Amino acid sequence: MNKHTPDLKAEKIEGGVHASVRHDSAHKHVAGSAVYIDDITEPAGTLHAGLGLSTVAHGTIRAIDLSAALAAPGVVDVLTHADIPGENDISPSGMHDDPVLAAGKVQFHGQPIFCVIAETREQARRAARLAKVDYEEMPADIDIWDLDAATHPQVFPPLTLKRGEAAVALESAPRRIKGRMRLGGQDHFYLEGQVSLAVPGEDDEVLVYCSTQGPSETQHMVAHALGVPSHAVTIEVRRMGGGFGGKETQANQCAALAAIAAKRLNRAVKLRLDRDEDMVATGKRHDFAIDYDIGFDDEGRIHAVDYTFALRAGFSADLSGPVGDRALFHCDNAYFFPHVHAKTALLRTNTVSNTAFRGFGGPQGMVGAERVIDEIAFATGKDPLDIRKLNFYDAMGVEGERNLTPYHQKVGDCIIQRIVAELEESADYAGRRKAIADFNAGSRIVKRGIALTPVKFGISFTKTESNQAGALVHVYTDGSVHMNHGGTEMGQGLHLKVAQVVAEEFQIDLDRVKITATTTAKVPNTSPTAASSGADLNGMAAQDAARQIKNRLIDFAAESHQVPRDQVVFLPNRVRIGNSEMAFNDLVRKAYVARVQLSAAGFYKTPKIHWDRSKGRGHAFYYYAYGAACSEVSVDTLTGEYVVERTDILHDAGRSLNRTIDIGQVEGGFIQGMGWLTTEELWWDGKGRLRTHAPSTYKIPLASDRPKIFNVALTDWSEAYEPTIHRSKAVGEPPLPLGLSVLHALSDAVASVADHSICPRLDAPATPERVLMAIERLRAEKRG
């Protein structure tokens, strides 16, 4: 081996794809030096905004007296809907039902009516409390539990999925069960709340630093509110302190108000909500009432299902339509239904308009699927895991008939059987199941339960045009690389993964790639960072841009050295050209002198997908991500309190771009899903006031709530069925429904008080109070 033929297998760049590199901002997060919107140095003369919120859930506004607010110390201006120069609308659904500021009527308790602008944030917030609003109150619909899904007004046309003849199959099924489940919502509880800083420019221009997952949508909404073209508005975000879907549409209101005030007063304006305001005034995960009718046989094989998923939409459409759609797309989870009929009901209520949340309805659909499994298991007296395995879709490579979803897409990549089998063995499910039975037989007060639940999660936006992304890559003459793309960073490591893709393409060390803030001035018409598609879309777009530049460099090197193109090979931090080598930066410098373009805009659109909502058919997802979790709990049957003793997870991330980042996403997703299904309870009183509006009343999981034993692993054999970026799979949303294993372990523990003879029908969130009520109900049924 001479100097021109190194051992390429041993030589690698630092931080390319599949390398477990730490998050690029991890050290800044720990040190407190990461710059968020509220950390940006404010321009001289920056003003601050405070919101005036409705104190009734439904009513007309008879009069508003703003005199005391205007006279308060430091107040510069007060905005109402009449001061909005453009459209008073921030509706993402096109329904024009979501105003920037309430006009003439209020539709939920906490709806913004006016906005005070003052010299300081404290002055603005205090002044907002001085205004007087006279309402004529009207009846309000708050809860969905007792609303008639068939007749109650809906915010958006519902969806129906149908395959086969569910009604006929239900009538002829050997066994049949009907039931209803209540499923609560969830607050995003991101560490950084909603915040925007707007800086006015010349003419109609404005720059808005905004904590948003959808820079382009925020750009468009601000432009509409100002009555200017989109090119006049620039949205920039370097990072968010968490999003979880709560900043996909909900960021638009703060951005619009800050921009309107900034242009009106020609001074920079910042609007930052505190935790209480944020929880009261912004949307959440939808809560559901799930009605199910299932037909099955004595073996536990499902014959037919009929579902109605009724959700609390809130006062406006927001994203309730597509959230409900995705719930139906996942009402099968990993199970084949021979005959299925499923429909949504998007119920209008006088509560804050609910919105995107990690999983976007998919987890709610899976809850319905797993409740069906529980019902069948208790009815047949079998282990729920056996019922799950009996009803799985056909495995990848099996040419059978059990592979068609309720929306008529063929499942061709199903690997849930192998994942469950491996987890069942590594977690010793059978051995622990027996040990738990023995423990419960000898324990009068504390009962244990165990459950192993699967996940099949579809990856793609069902809004077809959202499945596209752009990126911009510059190579400078010193060989350093500037990378920008349309995705946003909210702690999930997206920027790092895309930088790894670019580094891999050029075969340069990761520290030579600069990660820059997402801005609509560089990459236009971006899709929101949502639907777990951030790395899939933006990674491909950045790869495309890098390859354009790389191909130009190959052409230049081949021509200048008079060698064929295939003799130009990129090696770690250098390039081999025929029989010689030169450093990457030397090639770049020579290419610049030769006037080779060293910048490129990349683009990617997801192939194959299509969806016809009117027919309820299509290839809605590019591929599926899979996973499974096995959880064990201990329940105190006198109080309902419980502890998660152990959780084992095996998750499918394909050929992971960064296993360290992905394992962190799996861990965090599981904990967030567990919190949603156990402790995080949203409660509105009869007047429509959210009473769980702060950490004192709303319980997210603490570090002490994590499983005592927590084993998390990624598959080391899986790769994406389709040609995704380096055959990786999305890992943002799919892990969250793994938390279902905790809910069903609790159900298993509760069922033990009646010798597993009665389905506990445990609703979520399964708070200690709800667990205790379920225990008492089962004891009464057993006695009675």
Side-chain angles (χ1 to χ4, degrees):
M1 182 181 297
N2 60 41
K3 64 178 182 179
H4 299 305
T5 57
D7 183 0
L8 301 182
K9 291 183 180 179
E11 191 177 13
K12 293 182 179 180
I13 61 171
E14 294 291 332
V17 296
H18 310 313
S20 291
V21 184
R22 74 173 188 184
H23 193 293
D24 59 285
S25 296
H27 60 295
K28 300 176 187 176
H29 296 159
V30 173
S33 59
V35 176
Y36 297 93
I37 304 300
D38 204 35
D39 299 315
I40 295 172
T41 301
E42 297 170 2
T46 295
L47 298 170
H48 298 264
L51 297 180
L53 306 178
S54 166
T55 57
V56 303
H58 192 203
T60 56
I61 300 173
R62 288 191 288 221
I64 304 179
D65 182 359
L66 299 173
S67 57
L70 284 164
V75 172
V76 176
D77 201 358
V78 180
L79 307 179
T80 68
H81 70 91
D83 300 309
I84 297 172
E87 298 179 42
N88 183 27
D89 179 57
I90 47 172
S91 169
S93 63
M95 303 293 284
H96 303 291
D97 57 356
D98 201 343
V100 180
L101 293 172
K105 62 180 179 180
V106 293
Q107 299 181 79
F108 73 94
H109 193 288
Q111 183 173 5
I113 300 174
F114 58 90
C115 184
V116 177
I117 314 299
E119 297 291 344
T120 71
R121 182 169 178 268
E122 181 72 12
Q123 289 172 334
R125 297 183 71 229
R126 287 186 178 276
R129 297 187 180 97
L130 300 177
K132 297 179 181 178
V133 182
D134 182 24
Y135 307 94
E136 181 178 345
E137 288 196 60
M138 301 167 65
D141 291 313
I142 306 301
D143 198 359
I144 61 170
W145 193 246
D146 297 319
L147 298 180
D148 185 347
T151 61
H152 190 78
Q154 300 192 36
V155 298
F156 199 80
L159 173 67
T160 297
L161 300 182
K162 180 180 179 181
R163 200 193 68 248
E165 298 295 335
V168 175
L170 285 168
E171 288 292 338
S172 61
R175 307 181 74 167
R176 185 174 182 180
I177 293 176
K178 295 182 180 181
R180 194 172 208 218
M181 181 177 186
R182 185 169 195 148
L183 177 60
Q186 186 177 24
D187 189 82
H188 300 90
F189 219 91
Y190 24 60
L191 291 180
E192 177 198 34
Q194 301 288 351
V195 56
S196 287
L197 169 63
V199 181
E202 62 184 25
D203 301 326
D204 56 3
E205 294 173 0
V206 63
L207 167 62
V208 184
Y209 299 96
C210 180
S211 188
T212 176
Q213 292 175 239
S216 286
E217 181 176 295
T218 300
Q219 174 193 30
H220 299 153
M221 293 300 176
V222 170
H224 294 162
L226 287 172
V228 300
S230 291
H231 66 54
V233 178
T234 298
I235 305 295
E236 181 171 317
V237 51
R238 171 57 181 90
R239 61 173 60 84
M240 287 167 276
F244 310 119
K247 295 174 181 175
E248 185 170 345
T249 64
Q250 303 296 286
N252 298 337
Q253 189 168 44
C254 285
L257 287 169
I260 291 167
K263 293 303 291 182
R264 178 182 172 95
L265 302 171
N266 199 32
R267 292 171 68 178
V269 175
K270 182 191 289 185
L271 174 53
R272 175 170 62 84
L273 304 185
D274 74 359
R275 180 64 63 185
D276 293 79
E277 291 171 331
D278 200 306
M279 292 188 72
V280 166
T282 64
K284 314 179 187 313
R285 184 188 293 280
H286 294 74
D287 48 338
F288 277 69
I290 305 171
D291 292 293
Y292 53 89
D293 186 353
I294 51 177
F296 56 100
D297 58 30
D298 292 338
E299 292 299 310
R301 191 179 292 273
I302 297 169
H303 287 206
V305 296
D306 192 321
Y307 280 120
T308 298
F309 285 85
L311 58 82
R312 175 172 14 199
F315 81 97
S316 68
D318 197 83
L319 296 173
S320 292
V323 166
D325 291 359
R326 192 170 281 253
L328 290 198
F329 292 145
H330 292 82
C331 71
D332 56 340
N333 195 6
Y335 312 114
F336 174 71
F337 299 153
H339 300 273
V340 57
H341 179 269
K343 62 183 179 181
T344 56
L346 316 169
L347 305 181
R348 185 185 299 276
T349 55
N350 296 113
T351 52
V352 63
S353 192
N354 285 324
T355 190
F357 200 119
R358 192 175 188 176
F360 204 80
Q364 291 98 310
M366 292 181 188
V367 168
E370 296 305 325
R371 168 55 67 86
V372 163
I373 295 296
D374 245 20
E375 290 276 18
I376 296 171
F378 282 100
T380 58
K382 296 186 176 184
D383 188 320
L385 181 57
D386 292 336
I387 303 300
R388 291 185 169 98
K389 292 192 290 187
L390 181 66
N391 287 285
F392 281 155
Y393 279 101
D394 282 339
M396 183 169 65
V398 175
E399 289 299 327
E401 299 178 353
R402 299 174 55 81
N403 58 13
L404 203 61
T405 67
Y407 43 96
H408 296 262
Q409 177 172 336
K410 183 177 179 180
V411 180
D413 63 356
C414 188
I415 55 173
I416 196 62
Q417 294 85 352
R418 181 172 176 181
I419 288 176
V420 167
E422 290 187 6
L423 183 64
E424 188 178 1
E425 180 179 356
S426 65
D428 188 23
Y429 177 84
R432 289 165 61 199
R433 167 65 76 187
K434 183 179 184 305
I436 287 170
D438 293 341
F439 174 89
N440 288 344
S443 177
R444 190 169 62 89
I445 305 300
V446 176
K447 301 293 183 181
R448 291 196 170 186
I450 190 170
L452 195 160
T453 58
V455 166
K456 174 181 104 342
F457 198 95
I459 304 299
S460 289
F461 288 96
T462 49
K463 185 179 181 182
T464 304
E465 60 264 37
S466 293
N467 294 285
Q468 60 176 303
L472 185 64
V473 173
H474 304 317
V475 178
Y476 294 104
T477 55
D478 64 352
S480 64
V481 176
H482 171 113
M483 178 203 74
N484 195 271
H485 59 87
T488 56
E489 175 63 49
M490 60 195 93
Q492 83 280 36
L494 173 61
H495 283 346
L496 172 62
K497 285 185 174 182
V498 178
Q500 286 180 270
V501 169
V502 173
E504 184 76 22
E505 205 61 39
F506 288 124
Q507 282 293 292
I508 57 176
D509 292 339
L510 182 62
D511 61 8
R512 301 178 72 174
V513 180
K514 177 68 174 177
I515 299 169
T516 58
T518 305
T519 170
T520 56
K522 289 185 178 179
V523 178
N525 307 320
T526 62
S527 298
T529 305
S532 301
S533 296
D536 283 11
L537 294 175
N538 295 287
M540 282 292 208
Q543 184 184 65
D544 176 50
R547 283 184 174 175
Q548 292 178 48
I549 300 170
K550 184 177 178 180
N551 282 327
R552 293 178 199 141
L553 290 173
I554 291 173
D555 289 340
F556 164 71
E559 182 180 357
S560 61
H561 286 71
Q562 295 297 298
V563 299
R565 288 185 89 256
D566 61 6
Q567 290 188 23
V568 180
V569 181
F570 280 65
L571 304 175
N573 297 304
R574 64 194 192 284
V575 182
R576 181 192 297 159
I577 309 170
N579 292 322
S580 63
E581 291 183 4
M582 71 171 64
F584 174 78
N585 52 310
D586 289 339
L587 175 62
V588 167
R589 192 175 297 109
K590 290 178 181 295
Y592 166 73
V593 171
R595 296 183 295 179
V596 174
Q597 185 183 3
L598 297 174
S599 176
F603 180 77
Y604 175 75
K605 61 179 180 180
T606 310
K608 295 188 177 181
I609 55 175
H610 57 87
W611 168 244
D612 187 331
R613 192 173 190 269
S614 64
K615 295 179 180 178
R617 290 172 174 252
H619 194 92
F621 302 114
Y622 189 38
Y623 64 88
Y624 297 95
Y626 298 87
C630 179
S631 291
E632 180 179 343
V633 300
S634 295
V635 176
D636 184 327
T637 60
L638 296 182
T639 65
E641 293 180 292
Y642 48 81
V643 172
V644 183
E645 300 286 351
R646 174 176 168 179
T647 293
D648 296 79
I649 293 172
L650 181 60
H651 193 75
D652 161 37
R655 295 192 65 216
S656 171
L657 292 174
N658 186 319
R659 295 181 74 85
T660 296
I661 294 293
D662 286 349
I663 286 177
Q665 286 293 291
V666 174
E667 292 171 343
F670 167 81
I671 294 295
Q672 191 169 45
M674 180 186 77
W676 163 50
L677 294 167
T678 58
T679 65
E680 297 184 47
E681 185 171 31
L682 293 165
W683 186 74
W684 284 263
D685 66 17
K687 293 185 177 293
R689 295 174 293 187
L690 179 66
R691 292 301 198 177
T692 50
H693 55 78
S696 58
T697 51
Y698 184 81
K699 187 183 186 310
I700 63 171
L702 305 175
S704 57
D705 294 317
R706 75 192 187 283
K708 291 181 181 178
I709 301 172
F710 197 16
N711 301 315
V712 179
L714 302 180
T715 57
D716 57 8
W717 44 265
S718 171
E719 66 175 36
Y721 183 69
E722 298 288 354
T724 59
I725 186 69
H726 291 281
R727 295 286 180 169
S728 63
K729 285 191 178 185
V731 75
E733 294 171 312
L736 187 138
L738 295 170
L740 272 161
S741 61
V742 176
L743 177 65
H744 286 272
L746 289 171
S747 178
D748 185 56
V750 169
S752 68
V753 304
D755 302 320
H756 291 87
S757 60
I758 305 169
C759 181
R761 293 194 171 182
L762 185 60
D763 289 341
T767 59
E769 296 87 349
R770 195 163 277 131
V771 168
L772 182 60
M773 287 188 286
I775 289 169
E776 294 302 323
R777 185 176 67 251
L778 259 63
R779 282 175 170 159
E781 288 186 40
K782 185 182 178 184
R783 288 193 300 266

